[in-house]
Amino acid sequence: MDPKNPYRTQDAGGLRKANVGETTRLAGWVHRRRDHGGLVFIDLRDRWGITQITFHPDNAEVFAAAESLRPEWSISVTGEVTARPPGNENSELPTGEIEVQAASLAILNTSETPPFEIERDRPVDETLRLRYRYLDLRREKMRDNILFRHRVVKHMRDFLDAREFVEIETPLLTASTPEGARDYLVPARLYPGQFYALPQSPQQFKQLLMVAGFERYFQIARALRDEDQRGDRQPEHTQLDLEMSYTTQDEVLGLVEELFTGIVEDMTEKTILEKPFPRLTYAEAMDSYGSDKPDIRFGLEIKDVSDVVADSEFKVFSGAVASGGSVRGIAVGGLGDLSRGRIEGEITDVAKTAGARGLAYMKAEEGSLKGPIAKFFSDEEQAALRESLGAEEGDYLFFVADKDPVVFESLGRLRLHFRDALGLADDGVLGLCWVTDFPLFEWNEDEGRVEPMHHMFTMPREEDLALLETEPLKVIGQLYDLVANGTELASGSIRIHRPDIQQRVFDVIGIGAEEAERRFGAMLTAFRYGAPPHGGIAPGIDRLIMVLRDQPNIREVMAFPKTQAARDEMMDAPGPVSEDQLKELHIALRRRPDAPQGTDPAARPSEGNN
Ligand code: ASP
């Protein structure tokens, strides 16, 4: 640090025994004050650490000032580094062998009593934390999350730079790039009645950069999506957006695998379950784990027993198979003896929240199956059920019989329920895997139409192109997701680079040529100029950091997140704007949000000069 800096010549984390005898100057916050044995001790904290400062009464003026110090006051202290007296060392602090004898003290700013303790990691109401985020970020855990995030992003940049990727910024004010969410819109003052859309991702721009010949692009990009605030979502999140020309799925997966392996192994204590990361097709992931975001750290794999029970006397099972559904189950060991109440209450509820009508169960005992429904199955059927599920003596067998999506969802959730209840997964391990071969489209039940499973720019598998018009739901896309411990970390695809194929995909989802031209004209035109084959991916940075730091949600790894209700508590946004601003933007509100119910806005005098 600059020796002439008036506030500090040294950071508060770096002093060691070797510095004893030096004069130093430190600046930071009063972390803690202790008055002890006629002395005042201050733990002075800055970004780098904590150093103990000792004030002696023989330096009367400085001592008096030290006695006035309170938590979070901002101070600068000059003094000599001394060794702590034997027995007073603090082995938990890197600076714990030394202290600084204060010769002078400058109080740079006082502080009101903070709304929560900075120096201790105690649970604090999250709204309060978000309202005073700048204080929350002073806390050690949050500071370390943000610093770690910085290092991960730097690692990404260095890794990609070394492989000749170019970092290019793409616009925030642009036209819509759909990724399955609503757009955030920005009214265009210069074009009354028209709007920019904030990007749901840089998808179109990165593809255009491939047409432009940059070959390898990346960006630490903000993606803005106006989604319903279910679960752990944020209106804006950050992606490592990347794209390559003349590439293959294998090349993209290999690159990301190397990047992630480096981050995990060089920067965390975690171990990777299996390398290279296992690759499962979407169908395999659903079959075995009931989810396209499988947690592969533990077994409890789902097995299809439809064939075994198709002709059984248990009508719930045979009926489900006969009506085109399936019967699948898992065998769970280590549960001991469960009460009927617990199975039919808590455990069945897990399956029911996923839409299952019920949960059937039996227990493997004395070589056969026991339980209320066991009597419906012949000895051979019982043996075949045990065998199919790989059940050991004492295991519980749980079954769901329904339409496939319900069966998958409910057994998938049950797996996770038992993972947590039985502690089956090790948090120190990252079960990273690829899920590939997703269907290109899915059926939107509510709207009664086909829509892209991921986004509309994905290339179908070569061999499925012919199915586009006839059986679109059977078309497999060149799509891939990276998953860790049940969380999706990245999503990408090989893209369509030919205008004719792009239009065929648009047609399937009901975007005719005219609409396509209006909404995606630039892409379609660009593809006519020798667009190279290309593909890419976009790992979510917030999610990755959350998983690597074992955080419960992404807000813990973002400096300034919104609340779950999509509000910025600190800046108090969103908020109303003045009548003049609205006028400038040519916007008339249908009903002023602050107007009493039923008031006609047009009838109210405006705030302007009217
Ligand atoms: N644009 C995609 C997304 O945001 C990622 C990609 O396909 O590269 O999910």
Side-chain angles (χ1 to χ4, degrees):
M1 286 194 178
D2 175 7
K4 292 204 218 63
N5 183 301
Y7 301 112
R8 61 153 66 109
T9 55
Q10 165 73 44
D11 69 68
L15 291 170
R16 300 287 182 273
K17 258 218 160 122
N19 303 99
V20 167
E22 293 174 9
T23 295
T24 191
R25 187 176 302 142
L26 303 175
W29 286 291
V30 175
H31 188 62
R32 233 180 254 135
R33 192 189 100 198
R34 284 183 309 277
D35 299 1
H36 187 71
L39 305 175
V40 171
F41 296 97
I42 295 291
D43 283 346
L44 181 149
R45 182 191 78 239
D46 69 9
R47 192 185 110 188
W48 293 273
I50 290 178
T51 300
Q52 176 166 293
I53 316 287
T54 310
F55 294 85
H56 292 262
D58 38 0
N59 192 347
E61 204 181 318
V62 173
F63 188 78
E67 281 189 306
S68 73
L69 295 176
R70 296 286 177 276
E72 300 311 309
W73 287 24
S74 180
I75 59 173
S76 166
V77 174
T78 307
E80 189 189 326
V81 183
T82 60
R84 291 202 196 184
N88 286 2
E89 297 94 345
N90 179 351
S91 59
E92 280 171 20
L93 275 186
T95 60
E97 287 187 323
I98 58 95
E99 58 191 336
V100 172
Q101 308 297 332
S104 68
L105 164 68
I107 295 174
L108 306 174
N109 210 344
T110 60
S111 169
E112 289 183 18
T113 304
F116 45 80
E117 290 175 318
I118 311 286
E119 82 274 20
R120 258 182 288 200
D121 186 21
R122 293 216 196 136
V124 179
D125 171 61
E126 199 185 9
T127 313
L128 198 62
R129 288 177 55 201
L130 291 175
R131 189 168 307 141
Y132 295 92
R133 190 59 155 185
Y134 43 88
L135 294 180
D136 192 36
L137 290 170
R138 284 187 193 173
R139 304 204 299 168
E140 185 180 359
K141 192 182 84 184
M142 290 305 293
R143 178 198 62 197
D144 289 351
N145 284 350
I146 300 299
L147 294 180
F148 178 76
R149 180 182 176 121
H150 160 77
R151 289 197 301 276
V152 169
V153 170
K154 168 137 182 7
H155 183 110
M156 290 172 167
R157 285 200 156 101
D158 293 344
F159 176 93
L160 292 169
D161 178 69
R163 285 158 187 78
E164 297 198 64
F165 280 77
V166 190
E167 183 166 5
I168 306 177
E169 289 162 87
T170 55
L172 284 180
L173 292 177
T174 178
S176 172
T177 285
E179 294 271 0
R182 271 183 222 94
D183 289 323
Y184 279 102
L185 297 174
V186 179
R189 181 178 57 84
L190 299 176
Y191 300 92
Q194 298 190 24
F195 296 82
Y196 300 100
L198 300 177
Q200 293 186 35
S201 86
Q203 185 63 36
Q204 293 191 72
F205 285 99
K206 69 171 165 177
Q207 293 193 233
L208 292 170
L209 286 168
M210 296 304 102
V211 184
F214 284 96
E215 307 259 358
R216 293 173 165 217
Y217 141 95
F218 81 98
Q219 181 179 194
I220 308 297
R222 206 65 63 80
L224 298 119
R225 301 180 184 180
D226 186 0
E227 294 177 292
D228 294 329
Q229 294 303 302
R230 274 181 287 115
D232 189 15
R233 286 184 177 164
Q234 283 284 314
E236 37 186 316
H237 70 270
T238 307
Q239 304 178 331
L240 169 61
D241 195 47
L242 65 90
E243 197 75 7
M244 296 150 89
S245 289
Y246 305 108
T247 193
T248 60
Q249 172 164 320
D250 274 347
E251 190 179 24
V252 178
L253 268 47
L255 178 92
V256 173
E257 198 156 322
E258 197 187 335
L259 171 63
F260 274 56
T261 303
I263 291 171
V264 173
E265 294 184 345
D266 298 352
M267 308 181 66
T268 78
E269 303 285 298
K270 294 195 182 286
T271 50
I272 294 173
L273 184 70
E274 204 181 321
K275 290 187 294 187
F277 306 166
R279 294 184 188 184
L280 295 88
T281 64
Y282 171 82
E284 288 165 351
M286 296 306 285
D287 271 346
S288 300
Y289 303 104
S291 167
D292 58 2
K293 303 176 202 19
D295 188 341
I296 59 166
R297 288 174 299 172
F298 63 102
L300 302 193
E301 285 179 24
I302 298 167
K303 302 288 179 205
D304 189 348
V305 296
S306 305
D307 289 348
V308 177
V309 300
D311 300 320
S312 75
E313 283 173 30
F314 190 51
K315 294 293 166 247
V316 176
F317 281 9
S318 50
V321 179
S323 60
S326 62
V327 183
R328 296 169 204 251
I330 54 174
V332 188
L335 287 172
D337 270 321
L338 292 174
S339 70
R340 192 163 171 168
R342 177 135 177 247
I343 299 179
E344 293 175 7
E346 177 194 330
I347 298 175
T348 300
D349 283 349
V350 176
K352 282 191 175 162
T353 53
R357 273 163 296 180
L359 181 68
Y361 67 95
M362 288 180 270
K363 189 172 185 190
E365 251 173 12
E366 297 159 19
S368 64
L369 292 175
K370 300 275 179 318
I373 61 167
K375 59 176 182 276
F376 295 110
F377 301 97
S378 67
D379 290 349
E380 294 74 51
E381 283 168 340
Q382 292 197 9
L385 285 175
R386 281 186 68 143
E387 156 112 30
S388 307
L389 265 56
E392 312 252 333
E393 185 70 10
D395 283 4
Y396 277 90
L397 287 67
F398 295 98
F399 301 93
V400 176
D402 215 309
K403 289 192 217 113
D404 279 346
V406 174
V407 175
F408 287 141
E409 179 75 25
S410 43
L411 288 174
R413 287 199 202 183
L414 263 190
R415 269 191 90 236
L416 301 183
H417 170 83
F418 289 119
R419 171 194 68 186
D420 298 339
L422 297 168
L424 299 179
D426 179 349
D427 282 339
V429 173
L430 280 178
L432 284 153
C433 65
W434 290 104
V435 180
T436 64
D437 296 84
F438 285 80
L440 192 59
F441 304 107
E442 62 191 345
W443 181 247
N444 183 327
E445 195 75 55
D446 298 337
E447 294 175 26
R449 62 183 182 88
V450 171
E451 64 184 16
M453 184 100 158
H454 183 186
H455 59 57
M456 50 184 88
F457 309 112
T458 298
M459 185 68 115
R461 257 190 344 197
E462 190 73 36
E463 60 267 40
D464 293 349
L465 276 173
L467 298 175
L468 268 179
E469 287 75 18
T470 50
E471 291 183 285
L473 291 172
K474 290 223 170 107
V475 176
I476 303 290
Q478 298 190 46
L479 274 164
Y480 34 82
D481 277 6
L482 179 63
V483 174
N485 301 357
T487 299
E488 179 194 310
L489 291 185
S491 211
S493 61
I494 298 300
R495 326 295 184 186
I496 299 170
H497 64 280
R498 284 194 3 218
D500 55 329
I501 302 179
Q502 186 66 71
Q503 186 57 57
R504 284 171 66 193
V505 167
F506 282 155
D507 285 337
V508 173
I509 53 183
I511 300 180
E514 212 171 294
E515 184 184 349
E517 192 52 42
R518 181 167 46 78
R519 293 175 58 189
F520 307 107
M523 287 266 275
L524 289 170
T525 309
F527 287 171
R528 289 188 210 119
Y529 292 92
H534 58 284
I537 191 163
I541 291 180
D542 314 287
R543 293 257 188 94
L544 172 67
I545 309 292
M546 172 188 92
V547 169
L548 295 181
R549 301 274 308 167
D550 291 318
Q551 296 300 301
N553 62 62
I554 58 173
R555 298 186 297 283
E556 298 298 313
V557 301
M558 302 172 87
F560 297 109
K562 312 266 185 293
T563 62
Q564 276 195 296
R567 285 199 61 80
D568 182 334
E569 282 292 331
M570 187 178 63
M571 305 304 267
D572 201 16
V577 299
S578 73
E579 195 65 26
D580 287 347
Q581 279 175 298
L582 287 177
K583 251 193 192 162
E584 244 181 3
L585 294 169
H586 321 281
I587 288 179
L589 298 183
R590 281 169 187 257
R591 187 173 70 76
R592 287 175 57 116
D594 56 347
Q597 201 77 30
T599 313
D600 176 7
R604 282 170 63 104
S606 81
E607 286 162 10
N609 47 15
N610 195 57

